[in-house]
Amino acid sequence: MKVIVSNEIEKVCPEFVGASVEAEVVNTEFCAELWAEIHALGERLKGELTTETLKEIKSINATRRVYRACGKDPSRYRPASEALIRRMLLGKELYQRDTLVDLINLASIAYGYSIGGFDADKFVGDTLTLGIGREGEPYEGIGRGMINIHGLPVYRDAEGGVGTPTSDHERTKMTLETTHLLVLINGYDGNEKRVLENALYIQDLLRKYCQSNGGSYYLYR
């Protein structure tokens, strides 16, 4: 998939850098070794962060700042990375979905970037464009029903929105049948080195837990 960053995103976040990871994978219902990693990271973060200092993590703070610039309240529509870490800090278990979803959640928690994971075979067309949600634009978030994406950064394929930093779309969600994965890392902090590290980390997790060779990645601006 080709990824294009629109002028409207460049205006509110000229430093944006993203990374795409595309891979062939085997998904499973549950992976105990992966969850051991998730729990270990959660325990470490509980000793390092609070629900207030969480917002100061550069990757999360930058995403919140872009939300405000686009006209969205980041405390009402939390970026996924912030919501996941916040849940851990409050002593709540993360929702267990399947290995691909759980793996991407771990990668998001580890680096603080909001990360979209998609079944690439469900996209319409061969290009994704990162723009800003419009008033009245229909969007069905995974497990959330119809949500208001006006003022949220959103990736669109030829049919419409597929991913925001708050929630990905039902139409392109991963399932146990997913074999062609696309992951998008959103670096609103402009830290190319850390975004790349996050992409390589995801490739490593895919090798360990999804019978994958890690696939390929590229950076985009």
Side-chain angles (χ1 to χ4, degrees), residues 83-98:
L84 289 167
I85 299 172
R86 180 183 174 83
R87 186 172 182 84
M88 282 185 153
L89 297 179
L90 292 173
K92 300 177 181 179
E93 283 288 329
L94 297 185
Y95 296 108
Q96 192 275 317
R97 302 299 188 189
D98 56 53

Side-chain angles (χ1 to χ4, degrees), residues 123-161:
F123 289 129
V124 178
D126 61 359
T127 302
L128 296 174
T129 302
L130 177 59
I132 298 174
R134 297 183 288 265
E135 184 70 48
E137 183 172 2
Y139 189 94
E140 185 178 1
I142 297 174
R144 300 167 66 109
M146 300 304 292
I147 64 174
N148 175 15
I149 65 166
H150 178 225
L152 281 179
V154 57
Y155 288 96
R156 299 183 182 94
D157 66 4
E159 186 170 314

Side-chain angles (χ1 to χ4, degrees), residues 112-126:
Y113 292 117
S114 289
I115 300 174
F118 309 91
D119 186 322
D121 291 334
K122 296 178 180 178
F123 289 129
V124 178
D126 61 359

Side-chain angles (χ1 to χ4, degrees), residues 31-219:
C31 179
E33 293 84 0
L34 172 61
W35 272 92
E37 281 202 52
I38 293 171
H39 286 138
L41 178 58
E43 289 305 306
R44 179 169 67 80
L45 292 178
K46 287 177 187 177
E48 296 176 354
L49 296 171
T50 69
T51 55
E52 287 305 310
T53 60
L54 160 65
K55 300 173 186 177
E56 299 169 8
I57 295 174
K58 290 182 178 179
S59 48
I60 291 175
N61 183 270
T63 306
R64 290 174 63 88
R65 187 172 64 248
V66 169
Y67 270 39
R68 292 191 192 94
C70 292
K72 212 67 168 176
D73 180 356
S75 294
R76 183 177 179 189
Y77 294 83
R78 294 186 194 279
S81 54
E82 179 185 349
L84 289 167
I85 299 172
R86 180 183 174 83
R87 186 172 182 84
M88 282 185 153
L89 297 179
L90 292 173
K92 300 177 181 179
E93 283 288 329
L94 297 185
Y95 296 108
Q96 192 275 317
R97 302 299 188 189
D98 56 53
T99 299
L100 282 178
V101 173
D102 301 339
L103 180 154
I104 289 169
N105 284 344
L106 171 59
S108 181
I109 292 164
Y111 283 82
Y113 292 117
S114 289
I115 300 174
F118 309 91
D119 186 322
D121 291 334
K122 296 178 180 178
F123 289 129
V124 178
D126 61 359
T127 302
L128 296 174
T129 302
L130 177 59
I132 298 174
R134 297 183 288 265
E135 184 70 48
E137 183 172 2
Y139 189 94
E140 185 178 1
I142 297 174
R144 300 167 66 109
M146 300 304 292
I147 64 174
N148 175 15
I149 65 166
H150 178 225
L152 281 179
V154 57
Y155 288 96
R156 299 183 182 94
D157 66 4
E159 186 170 314
V162 296
T164 75
T166 291
S167 176
D168 292 330
H169 198 286
E170 282 280 353
R171 175 168 61 88
T172 51
K173 73 178 180 182
M174 302 174 294
T175 68
L176 288 174
E177 288 70 45
T178 296
T179 58
H180 182 190
L181 173 70
L182 182 77
V183 180
L184 299 176
I185 303 167
N186 296 284
Y188 290 100
D189 61 352
N191 190 333
E192 181 175 319
K193 179 176 182 292
R194 191 162 172 79
V195 169
L196 176 57
E197 288 174 357
N198 201 170
L200 297 177
Y201 177 60
I202 289 170
Q203 288 186 302
D204 184 51
L205 292 176
L206 292 174
R207 293 185 190 102
K208 288 199 292 185
Y209 300 125
C210 295
Q211 301 179 42
S212 175
N213 67 4
S216 60
Y217 74 86
Y218 76 90
L219 299 176

